[in-house]
Amino acid sequence: MAVTLDPQLLEILACPSPDHAPLTPGTRDDPAADALTCTSCGRTYPVRDGIPVLLLDEATPPTDGERDSRDEPSSDGA
């Protein structure tokens, strides 16, 4: 089941990591998952009974491939 949060709430929710980046519904592999994913660090936070659990201890870290594509600078020298 997809995350159904109020759009205004989703606009103000942010990752609790120091980046404080916006969150997107679903996961990278499953856009309909009951989770929110950080657009910066790639952590995935569960949504339980319609309530986002934004605790770093509850987050699922990104796989190495996801982290590399987000955090590594491009190799073209720019």
Side-chain angles (χ1 to χ4, degrees):
M1 174 182 256
V3 174
T4 54
L5 296 174
D6 183 300
Q8 288 180 319
L9 176 61
L10 192 55
E11 282 183 34
I12 61 171
L13 288 178
C15 180
S17 73
D19 297 343
H20 301 299
L23 300 168
T24 58
T27 66
R28 184 174 183 177
D29 296 331
D30 183 7
D34 281 336
L36 296 172
T37 302
C38 178
T39 57
S40 178
C41 68
R43 287 183 182 96
T44 301
Y45 298 91
V47 176
R48 296 187 186 123
D49 298 324
I51 301 169
V53 182
L54 300 179
L55 300 171
L56 290 172
D57 291 344
E58 295 284 327
T60 303
T63 61
D64 287 338
E66 289 173 344
R67 185 175 315 180
D68 289 346
S69 66
R70 295 172 196 257
D71 294 341
E72 295 296 320
S74 63
S75 60
D76 62 3

